[in-house]
Amino acid sequence: MSFGRTPNIYSFSPTPPEKGSFPLDHEGECKRLVKEYLECLKKNQGNNGNCRHVSKAYLKCRMDKGLMTPEEMKNLGFQDENEIKKIDDK
């Protein structure tokens, strides 16, 4: 008796997403950038366009620490390489 389930429910095998699944930053290796990004959002009334340099630095930090698969910044929506230097100079 299937109790309302279709008989082929057992043949379903889930597949992980191609992107979007990555380890959490349990060690807080990029935590400074998270805090800086949130402060930037607050200072700019939630306008994330003014905080792109911080989000780019955060993604670069995650890639450098092995917390996400390395990817070209242009594939993540970033074009200007100079944006990352603003945050690294601090």
Side-chain angles (χ1 to χ4, degrees), residues 1-85:
M1 184 173 253
S2 66
F3 295 106
R5 293 185 186 170
T6 57
N8 64 353
I9 191 76
Y10 298 104
S11 64
F12 175 74
S13 59
T15 57
E18 287 182 31
K19 293 187 180 191
S21 180
F22 48 84
L24 297 176
D25 187 7
H26 291 293
E27 304 297 321
E29 296 177 273
C30 301
K31 192 173 187 172
R32 175 186 65 85
L33 293 167
V34 171
K35 287 181 179 181
E36 192 166 332
Y37 181 73
L38 293 174
E39 289 171 13
C40 182
L41 284 177
K42 190 174 184 179
K43 186 171 80 171
N44 290 287
Q45 289 83 37
N47 182 352
N48 65 346
N50 295 334
C51 304
R52 285 181 57 83
H53 63 284
V54 184
S55 60
K56 187 174 183 178
Y58 172 70
L59 291 172
K60 184 170 179 347
C61 177
R62 289 190 60 85
M63 287 186 268
D64 291 345
K65 305 290 183 183
L67 296 170
M68 69 182 277
T69 305
E71 185 75 49
E72 289 185 43
M73 285 295 172
K74 68 179 182 178
N75 295 339
L76 299 174
F78 298 97
Q79 299 301 322
D80 186 12
E81 282 298 319
N82 293 327
E83 284 179 335
I84 198 79
K85 292 179 181 172

